[in-house]
Amino acid sequence: MPRPKVYVTRRIPREAMAILEAYCDCRVFAQEDTPVPREMLLAEVADVDGAFVLLTERVDDELLAAAPRLRVVANMAVGYDNIDVAACTRRGVLVTNTPGVLTETTADLTWALLMATARRIVEAQKVIERGEWRTWSPMFLTGQDVYGRTLGIIGAGRIGSAVARRARGFDMTILYHNRRPNPDLEAETGARYAGFHELLEQSDFVVVLVPLTQETHHLINEDALRRMKPSAILINASRGPVVDETALYKALTEGWIWAAGLDVWEREPIGPDHPLLALPNVVALPHIGSASIATRTRMAVVAAENLVAGVTGRRPPNLVNPEAWDRRPAAAEGADQGG
Ligand code: GLV
């Protein structure tokens, strides 16, 4: 049997590359650390069985049409809003993600952002860098307390639950809002389920960790922001379009809320001219939630394992669209090799 062909859209850690190369013939977009140009991507996928992609690649009908042999798309991320999963499922293309391995690392970053925003860490460093630190002063760079306050988590799945576990160490009251109550989280952390509006109105910290879907697009809009306390802090470590940035700008400049910590943006990457960066009460990060060396390596390995499983006829461990398993061309041909 010929070795499966796969396309890898960026240079990835060698541990992951070794897994791919053991089973597949690989081509890699290795020219630079930027997304592969769309036209090149469409040409590169023309003959491949599998694609290893990042959240910077859009996998849609156009790409699928350009990739008639494609059987597996392995996303190196837990979120997969860059992929039209329904379109993949219609064509029997398996889609995989990397859940689990980035949970704790992303919860750590969410907390780093929360603490930095509450205590004005970035602003404080800039004061020193500008030579503006003249003396100790009673109300100089005073921020918000974290301990003992109320944390509201919107989207308490794996990462949200890990954020809640950390909050116990700060003696916080924990509220959460999900589509469904999460009794395990309640038992483990004492978190209490709250309605969306109740959570917004009562929380000192509103942490957004929902996946981006049609329902969550601009979930944090003008109405939501107006419901928050004037002393509240918004933290977004999910996907940028969950927050309406125009409404957020108004909220921050008109004092509806106190500050925001953002790891993700409506249109990434942003540059220094982004309006929110001009505000002192914004802490801005370039989408680094899962970016520890160990975790990014594990994510690449997991994505590689998913891809190899799919292109060698096995059911990938992290299959996002199980319905596609029975629709894949191999199943139609009766060539199922197990799974
Ligand atoms: C990163 O944002 C991810 O979804 O893994």
Side-chain angles (χ1 to χ4, degrees):
M1 237 183 69
R3 280 159 58 91
K5 285 192 176 53
V6 306
Y7 186 59
V8 183
T9 62
R10 204 78 65 89
R11 261 197 294 265
I12 57 173
R14 64 172 180 281
E15 291 88 335
M17 211 53 223
I19 293 168
L20 294 177
E21 282 171 341
Y23 296 92
C24 311
D25 289 341
C26 305
R27 286 197 306 269
V28 182
F29 178 69
Q31 290 170 17
E32 44 196 325
D33 195 13
T34 53
V36 51
R38 181 75 178 174
E39 287 311 312
M40 186 185 287
L41 175 61
L42 295 180
E44 288 284 11
V45 294
D47 64 344
V48 299
D49 305 287
F52 183 116
V53 302
L54 312 185
L55 50 79
T56 46
E57 277 76 62
R58 197 161 31 85
V59 177
D60 54 9
D61 258 320
E62 182 191 35
L63 183 138
L64 295 170
R69 296 173 48 96
L70 190 66
R71 287 147 64 194
V72 194
V73 176
N75 209 32
M76 188 188 141
V78 66
Y80 46 85
D81 46 279
N82 55 312
I83 299 176
D84 183 342
V85 177
C88 290
T89 304
R90 278 197 300 277
R91 295 170 192 254
V93 174
L94 309 178
V95 177
T96 69
N97 68 341
T98 64
V101 292
L102 49 73
T103 301
E104 302 299 333
T105 300
T106 308
D108 284 351
L109 189 280
T110 306
W111 265 92
L113 190 51
L114 187 156
M115 298 290 283
T117 312
R119 296 300 302 273
R120 306 173 60 179
I121 302 293
V122 177
E123 206 185 336
Q125 169 145 354
K126 287 183 183 161
V127 164
I128 298 179
E129 286 171 356
R130 289 196 298 260
E132 290 170 2
W133 182 24
R134 299 195 212 300
T135 179
W136 191 95
S137 164
M139 297 307 283
F140 178 52
L141 282 171
T142 45
Q144 299 287 345
D145 277 323
V146 174
Y147 77 93
R149 311 284 300 280
T150 297
L151 174 68
I153 300 171
I154 300 176
R158 275 180 292 257
I159 299 169
S161 299
V163 167
R165 284 196 294 277
R166 284 157 177 72
R168 286 181 310 174
F170 288 84
D171 258 334
M172 297 180 94
T173 300
I174 307 167
L175 304 178
Y176 74 101
H177 181 77
N178 276 2
R179 271 171 308 186
R180 280 178 291 284
N182 181 340
D184 291 343
L185 175 68
E186 293 178 19
E188 193 187 359
T189 65
R192 180 170 73 73
Y193 185 86
F196 183 55
H197 292 166
E198 182 194 1
L199 182 145
L200 293 168
E201 284 156 15
Q202 293 193 7
S203 299
D204 299 302
F205 298 90
V206 173
V207 175
V208 184
L209 284 163
V210 288
L212 174 61
T213 62
Q214 272 171 11
E215 291 77 51
T216 62
H217 183 267
H218 283 191
L219 179 69
I220 305 299
N221 56 14
E222 182 161 335
D223 177 68
L225 291 159
R226 283 190 186 276
R227 288 176 188 276
M228 290 172 62
K229 300 180 186 180
S231 57
I233 292 176
L234 176 73
I235 302 295
N236 187 10
S238 59
R239 286 290 184 268
V242 174
V243 174
D244 176 347
E245 286 176 4
T246 307
L248 179 61
Y249 185 89
K250 274 213 274 190
L252 290 164
T253 48
E254 295 177 15
W256 317 344
I257 71 171
W258 196 75
L262 306 170
D263 183 39
V264 288
W265 304 85
E266 284 205 67
R267 268 176 295 282
E268 296 179 3
I270 61 162
D273 52 350
H274 190 289
L276 285 168
L277 291 195
L279 305 182
N281 50 349
V282 168
V283 175
L285 298 178
H287 201 151
I288 56 168
S290 60
S292 74
I293 298 165
T295 291
R296 284 287 167 85
T297 304
R298 275 197 294 269
M299 288 166 67
V301 164
V302 167
E305 289 169 347
N306 280 318
L307 189 57
V308 165
V311 294
T312 57
R314 287 176 296 119
R315 190 181 169 105
N318 305 114
L319 188 55
V320 163
N321 57 345
E323 322 79 59
W325 181 248
D326 295 325
R327 290 188 176 214
R328 69 201 193 285
E333 290 156 18
D336 190 358
Q337 296 174 29

